[in-house]
Amino acid sequence: MAMVAFVGKKVGGIGVAFRRGFQCREIQSFSLPELPYEYSALEPVISGEIMSLHHQKHHQAYVTNYNKALEQLEEASAKRNAEAIVSLQSAIKFNGGGHINHSIFWKNLTPVKEGGGEPPKGALAKAIDTQFGSLNAVIEKMNAGGAALQGSGWVWLGLNKDLKSLMVETTQNQDPLLTKGLLPLLGIDVWEHAYYLQYKNVRPDYLKNIWKVMNWKYAEEIFEKEVNP
């Protein structure tokens, strides 16, 4: 079954469409989001070569494989093939998580000339000071968590929406932060493909420098929407 995207939307899941008076099921495919800046815009913190490969190759691979897994899931569901449905869950989680995480990651970064590295303000800044003591403290906590993460994964500043509290967490591989019940505000990719061409095996240097292009405005907007709806 070919995948069909609903008109006017770039991403989505399995949906329902109506045509000529009868109901039919369609798969809404996901697509690679465009970056809001040039690949070289984050230099010298992150090279244009890394950004290009990371976006065009790695993120695109997650999108492609996610769409493929969703198509296979639709076919397995139509055939009521329980074994196939269960076996596809890991591919859906891994590739879907890769798409979700990277879509957030690109928004978490911005060129210095556009505010990259400027500290948070307003409610988020107050929450960070209250819960962690200072912005430097939360940065140090995230850097330590990211450096200590074994293998591949992510380090996050997340929001517990029920408690309205901030938390620093790590996730393995491409697991989204939502799997831990937290809303992501900032996420840092600590897979080697995110930094190795430039920083080699010195992950702490990458973590230290990435804050120079961190887009705290994005985190502020998400935080404000949740704590002051």
Side-chain angles (χ1 to χ4, degrees):
M1 178 184 294
M3 289 177 289
V4 182
F6 288 155
V7 176
K9 295 183 179 179
K10 292 184 177 180
V11 298
I14 296 174
V16 177
F18 292 88
R19 290 182 179 173
R20 298 180 182 177
F22 63 89
Q23 186 174 0
C24 63
R25 298 183 73 198
E26 291 187 344
I27 299 175
Q28 186 175 359
S29 64
F30 288 74
S31 60
L32 183 69
E34 294 183 3
L35 295 189
Y37 38 78
E38 298 295 327
Y39 289 129
S40 61
L42 303 181
E43 292 181 345
V45 175
I46 305 177
S47 71
E49 182 183 14
I50 288 177
M51 291 298 295
S52 177
L53 290 170
H54 200 169
H55 181 249
Q56 293 184 5
K57 302 299 183 181
H58 292 280
H59 191 172
Q60 180 63 69
Y62 294 124
V63 171
T64 300
N65 292 327
Y66 189 31
N67 286 332
K68 180 180 178 181
L70 289 176
E71 183 178 9
Q72 292 173 336
L73 177 63
E74 173 70 0
E75 294 172 351
S77 298
K79 296 176 181 178
R80 298 186 178 181
N81 187 336
E83 291 183 357
I85 291 171
V86 171
S87 67
L88 285 166
Q89 298 309 307
S90 59
I92 290 171
K93 180 181 180 182
F94 179 78
N95 292 294
H99 175 51
I100 290 170
N101 291 344
H102 284 87
S103 296
I104 296 169
F105 184 56
W106 310 134
K107 295 176 182 178
N108 284 163
L109 305 175
T110 197
V112 172
K113 65 181 181 180
E114 297 178 15
E118 292 182 3
K121 303 173 183 177
L124 178 57
K126 293 179 181 178
I128 288 173
D129 287 343
T130 299
Q131 294 184 228
F132 296 97
S134 68
L135 178 60
N136 284 337
V138 75
I139 289 175
E140 290 175 4
K141 187 175 180 67
M142 289 186 68
N143 286 354
L149 184 66
Q150 295 184 351
S152 301
W154 295 73
V155 60
W156 302 91
L157 176 64
L159 173 67
N160 183 314
K161 295 196 292 184
D162 294 329
L163 300 177
K164 305 296 184 184
S165 62
L166 300 172
M167 298 183 67
V168 171
E169 284 282 356
T170 58
T171 55
Q172 291 286 341
N173 299 315
Q174 292 298 348
D175 290 357
L177 188 60
L178 292 173
T179 59
K180 293 192 173 184
L182 300 174
L183 180 71
L185 301 178
L186 290 179
I188 301 177
D189 188 347
V190 293
W191 282 64
E192 285 190 344
H193 64 236
Y195 62 87
Y196 196 85
L197 286 177
Q198 185 171 352
Y199 293 92
K200 307 306 179 187
N201 63 332
V202 190
R203 186 190 289 177
D205 284 355
Y206 160 71
L207 290 166
K208 177 182 178 181
N209 286 328
I210 199 170
W211 297 99
K212 298 174 183 177
V213 290
M214 194 62 71
N215 185 12
W216 281 103
K217 292 180 181 178
Y218 172 82
E220 290 170 11
E221 292 173 1
I222 301 300
F223 184 80
E224 290 283 357
K225 289 179 182 177
E226 294 298 328
V227 298
N228 297 308

